[in-house]
Amino acid sequence: MEELSLHILDLVQNSIRAAATRVEILIEENVAEDRFLIEVKDNGQGMAEEFVREALNPFTTTRTTRRVGLGLSLLDMAARQCDGGVEIDSEPGKGTRVRAVFRYSHWDRAPLGDIKTTLVTIVAANPDLELEYVHRVDGRCFRLDTEEIRAILGGDIPLNDVAVLGWLDDYLARGLAELYGGEEQ
């Protein structure tokens, strides 16, 4: 995948297929430590220990429509190419955490890409999903939590309402621009 945000989308889709009702996304960009971290954690059904051991294998999948599962193996390959790797922690009934670490300055590290559109797409397609997004860049932090947005809106307006999605798009654009010191990403 050409952008890391597409890996994030794939991980969230895996969470949703695993019956997650809450997904937490963490991105940490630390130039001083030369580290770029992506973590996706969910409260889905989790995986058995044997499956976790094989999850990075491209021929391991829970899907019945095809016999390959490239998402995690491609993420692991991308991270290993950048002096990093992927860790998976999961337990049946308790959810899953996928953590990918990259060397920040590595010239092969894909750009984050259009994380704003990725997040809006996740919310639009899954309005009942509780999504927390935390993004840190060199000590600055941006946070979005759909549970808080839902509390402000009350129960009458769904998160995939056109007006809400427009607001969300604008909120993310402003928040991410501030996170990067006013530079659009």
Side-chain angles (χ1 to χ4, degrees):
M1 292 184 212
E2 294 180 19
E3 297 181 353
L4 297 175
S5 63
L6 296 176
H7 285 289
I8 292 168
L9 180 61
D10 183 61
L11 291 171
V12 172
Q13 288 173 328
N14 288 347
S15 296
I16 292 165
R17 277 194 295 278
T21 58
R22 180 165 179 84
V23 174
E24 299 171 10
I25 300 169
L26 170 65
I27 298 174
E28 288 184 345
E29 300 179 50
N30 190 318
V31 176
E33 293 180 10
D34 201 20
R35 184 174 61 105
F36 189 100
L37 166 80
I38 296 172
E39 182 176 283
V40 176
K41 188 165 83 171
D42 69 46
N43 67 349
Q45 63 194 27
M47 297 181 278
E49 186 178 331
E50 313 83 61
F51 194 84
V52 171
R53 281 195 300 270
E54 294 296 319
L56 299 177
N57 180 333
F59 299 103
T60 300
T61 184
T62 58
R63 289 184 159 188
T64 56
T65 56
R66 63 178 188 220
R67 288 189 289 218
V68 293
L70 295 176
L72 284 170
S73 61
L74 287 174
L75 177 61
D76 184 52
M77 182 181 72
R80 283 187 291 115
Q81 281 181 270
C82 298
D83 302 327
V86 171
E87 296 174 4
I88 303 170
D89 296 314
S90 189
E91 191 175 328
K94 294 193 177 179
T96 300
R97 180 183 67 106
V98 176
R99 183 178 177 95
V101 178
F102 302 78
R103 192 173 89 215
Y104 188 89
S105 65
H106 200 285
W107 67 285
D108 279 335
R109 182 181 58 81
L112 177 57
D114 192 356
I115 190 67
K116 174 180 69 85
T117 299
T118 298
L119 294 169
V120 171
T121 299
I122 292 167
V123 172
N126 307 282
D128 295 328
L129 180 70
E130 296 298 346
L131 177 70
E132 180 181 23
Y133 173 73
V134 175
H135 193 150
R136 296 185 185 112
V137 177
D138 293 330
R140 295 180 304 278
C141 184
F142 172 76
R143 181 175 173 273
L144 167 82
D145 192 330
T146 59
E147 190 172 6
E148 292 173 3
I149 296 169
R150 203 178 315 280
I152 292 167
L153 292 173
D156 299 336
I157 304 172
L159 292 183
N160 61 355
D161 180 273
V162 174
V164 175
L165 292 174
W167 173 86
L168 182 60
D169 186 76
D170 183 59
Y171 178 74
L172 287 164
R174 285 183 285 119
L176 292 169
E178 283 181 28
L179 185 65
Y180 287 105
E183 299 173 24
E184 195 168 310
Q185 292 299 304

